[in-house]
C-alpha cells in the first residue's frame, strides 16, 4: 500500500539533493576535463571528488527516507564502496565519451550527436558502475536485519 505522505517526503528529499548532486558532478567533470590527464585519471579524480563532497547529502537522504536517526558519523557511512562506484562511473564516462567522439568527430559537433554521445556514455557508465550500488546497499543494511553477503547480493536481481 502506498502512503502518499511518505512518497511526498521522499520526493522532496530526493529532488532537492539530486538538483545539487548531478550539476555538481557535471561541473566537476568539466573542471577536471581541463586538466591534462589520461581519461582514467580524470575519471578517478572526478569520481573521488564527487563522492567525497556529496556523500553526506546522499547518506542524509538515505537515512531520512529510512526513518533512521542521522548523526555526523553516519554521513560518510559506506564511503569505500561508494567512492569505488563513483570512480568506476567517472572512468567509464570519460573513456566512453572519448571513444564516442573519436568514432565520429563530425557527429559529435552536432546537437543530435552530442545527445547520442551523452546518452550512450551515461547509460554505459550507469550499467557498468551499478554493482557498486549493490555493495553500497549491503554496507548500509540495518544491523539488526543484516543479511550475509551471498544472501543479500543476488546477481539474477541485478541483471
Amino acid at each position: 500500500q502506498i502512503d502518499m505522505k511518505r512518497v511526498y517526503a521522499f520526493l522532496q528529499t530526493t529532488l532537492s539533493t539530486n538538483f545539487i548532486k548531478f550539476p555538481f558532478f557535471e561541473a566537476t567533470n568539466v573542471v577536471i576535463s581541463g586538466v591534462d590527464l589520461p581519461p582514467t585519471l580524470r575519471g578517478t579524480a572526478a569520481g573521488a571528488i564527487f563522492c567525497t563532497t556529496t556523500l553526506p547529502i546522499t547518506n542524509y537522504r538515505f537515512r531520512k527516507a529510512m526513518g533512521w536517526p542521522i548523526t555526523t558519523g553516519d554521513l560518510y557511512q559506506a564511503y569505500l564502496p561508494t567512492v569505488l562506484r563513483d570512480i568506476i562511473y567517472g572512468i567509464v564516462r570519460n573513456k566512453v565519451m572519448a571513444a564516442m567522439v573519436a568514432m565520429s568527430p563530425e557527429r559529435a559537433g552536432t546537437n543530435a550527436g552530442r545527445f547520442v554521445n551523452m546518452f550512450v556514455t551515461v547509460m554505459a557508465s550507469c550499467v557498468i558502475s551499478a554493482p557498486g550500488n549493490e555493495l553500497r546497499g549491503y554496507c548500509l543494511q540495518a544491523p539488526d536485519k543484516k543479511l550475509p553477503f551471498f544472501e543479500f547480493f543476488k546477481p539474477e536481481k541485478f541483471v
Side-chain angles (χ1 to χ4, degrees):
Q1 195 168 62
I2 297 175
D3 179 351
M4 290 310 288
K5 280 186 180 180
R6 289 189 72 201
V7 169
Y8 179 72
F10 175 77
L11 284 175
Q12 278 186 306
T13 307
T14 301
L15 289 175
S16 61
T17 56
N18 283 344
F19 281 138
I20 294 168
K21 289 175 55 177
F22 292 111
F24 181 76
F25 182 86
E26 295 306 324
T28 302
N29 209 35
V30 168
V31 169
I32 296 294
S33 71
V35 179
D36 187 25
L37 291 171
T40 302
L41 288 179
R42 277 199 315 269
T44 300
I49 292 166
F50 174 75
C51 176
T52 302
T53 307
T54 64
L55 187 61
I57 296 168
T58 303
N59 282 345
Y60 174 84
R61 178 183 73 188
F62 170 74
R63 296 185 75 80
K64 187 169 173 89
M66 297 299 287
W68 294 353
I70 302 167
T71 66
T72 306
D74 297 324
L75 297 179
Y76 278 96
Q77 185 180 5
Y79 178 76
L80 188 59
T82 309
V83 76
L84 289 174
R85 178 203 64 195
D86 291 350
I87 286 171
I88 291 167
Y89 178 90
I91 291 170
V92 172
R93 185 155 164 181
N94 277 276
K95 292 244 184 205
V96 170
M97 182 58 86
M100 294 294 292
V101 170
M103 274 190 341
S104 180
E106 302 81 31
R107 183 186 66 199
T110 69
N111 286 337
R114 283 189 289 274
F115 172 80
V116 168
N117 289 352
M118 182 59 87
F119 181 80
V120 170
T121 297
V122 170
M123 290 304 291
S125 302
C126 287
V127 169
I128 292 170
S129 66
N133 291 328
E134 293 298 309
L135 185 56
R136 175 177 159 72
Y138 172 76
C139 293
L140 290 173
Q141 293 180 85
D144 59 329
K145 297 178 182 177
K146 190 168 186 165
L147 297 173
F149 183 78
F150 289 107
E151 282 183 43
F152 182 87
F153 189 72
K154 302 281 187 202
E156 63 274 8
K157 283 185 183 177
F158 172 75
V159 173

